[in-house]
Amino acid sequence: MKIVAAKSILKFNDQLAAENRARFNALGLYVVNLVGSPGCGKTTLLEGLFEQLGSRIAPAVIEGDIAGQVDADRLKQRGIPVVQINTEGMCHLDANMIGVATSDEDYSHINLLVIENVGNLVCTSGYDLGEHLRIVVLSVAEGDDKLVKYPNIFQRSDALIITKTDLLSFCRFDVDRVRNDMQRLAPEAEIFEVSATRGDGLAEVADWLAARCTSAAPAASTD
Ligand code: MG
Ligand code: ZN
């Protein structure tokens, strides 16, 4: 019975995710699972956010990709500690990969760990990684119908960041429609609009994230 097998795999994943979360809590590490399609602007968003956060927050990143390390290289150039996970064909990260990737890392001086998931709007929604916050990214270029077509990932996210707003005049994208769909699917979720290349809206997201990070991680090392 394939359905039973899939459920038990996810149950096992949930147990590993709970172990990860307990370890992150003990370290005072606030963890974000960043999801979205390939090319929606996740890495560019991170570059802009880390610049905005400045010395307020000490970040580290786990990059999930099927192959290569181009995003990891971009962040390393900015002095951000990065671990690269190559899934070799697997289309999502799971809690076991995160457990292995973080097990021998020194996060004693890190407040915020961002996991940039494999670009995928489908099965990333089913795998808890042990994160505290899930942020879904949707770029204006992808179209405004994605919440209706891929509801699970939006439903299970704590925030939606609409990216590439500098392209709004070139794309058929109704921001109000997306906001309404998100409010219907995830009434508690925060919604932001940014253009990371122009810098629009980044300060608001950075302030919100810094507040979440500091209030949720009282054990964080501050020296
Ligand atoms: Mg990326
Ligand atoms: Zn997958």
Side-chain angles (χ1 to χ4, degrees):
M1 297 292 282
K2 278 177 185 170
I3 292 173
V4 175
K7 275 184 180 164
S8 63
I9 289 166
L10 284 176
K11 195 174 176 186
F12 182 56
N13 184 78
D14 284 347
Q15 286 165 3
L16 293 175
E19 286 172 25
N20 287 347
R21 193 174 288 109
R23 198 156 44 83
F24 297 148
N25 287 340
L27 289 166
L29 193 60
Y30 192 65
V31 181
V32 173
N33 182 3
L34 188 67
V35 297
S37 299
C40 67
K42 295 184 289 300
T43 312
T44 305
L45 174 67
L46 286 184
E47 288 174 325
L49 277 180
F50 292 155
E51 205 166 296
Q52 283 286 331
L53 285 167
S55 59
R56 279 185 285 173
I57 297 287
V61 172
I62 295 175
E63 279 293 337
D65 288 288
I66 287 176
Q69 55 181 64
V70 285
D71 291 349
D73 287 343
R74 283 166 63 181
L75 294 164
K76 260 187 199 160
Q77 269 178 0
R78 294 171 171 261
I80 312 283
V82 189
V83 173
Q84 175 75 56
I85 298 176
N86 279 148
T87 62
E88 298 177 335
M90 183 102 95
C91 45
H92 59 267
L93 296 176
D94 63 31
N96 185 43
M97 294 180 202
I98 297 305
V100 171
T102 56
S103 62
D104 56 356
E105 286 296 299
D106 178 10
Y107 290 123
S108 55
H109 292 82
I110 300 295
N111 315 104
L112 171 68
L113 174 64
V114 179
I115 302 165
E116 183 181 335
N117 216 316
V118 179
N120 185 339
L121 279 181
V122 185
C123 49
T124 47
S125 73
Y127 288 83
D128 183 1
L129 304 179
E131 73 268 19
H132 299 101
L133 190 75
R134 190 180 291 182
I135 299 176
V136 60
V137 175
L138 176 69
S139 71
V140 159
E142 290 168 75
D144 56 16
D145 57 359
K146 292 299 163 293
L147 288 82
V148 176
K149 297 178 78 168
Y150 303 90
N152 292 359
I153 189 82
F154 294 94
Q155 209 159 24
R156 294 177 188 175
S157 292
D158 305 294
L160 164 64
I161 302 182
I162 301 168
T163 54
K164 309 190 188 184
T165 56
D166 51 300
L167 299 180
L168 270 172
S169 58
F170 306 103
C171 299
R172 209 174 289 165
F173 191 95
D174 182 346
V175 174
D176 290 336
R177 176 190 178 181
V178 168
R179 282 183 168 275
N180 288 337
D181 285 345
M182 190 62 183
Q183 270 154 16
R184 184 172 48 77
L185 290 169
E188 307 290 315
E190 299 281 338
I191 304 172
F192 299 97
E193 298 170 34
V194 310
S195 165
T197 51
R198 283 189 186 167
D200 300 343
L202 283 175
E204 199 187 338
V205 182
D207 289 348
W208 170 77
L209 193 56
R212 294 291 301 248
C213 194
T214 46
S215 68
S221 170
T222 50
D223 59 357

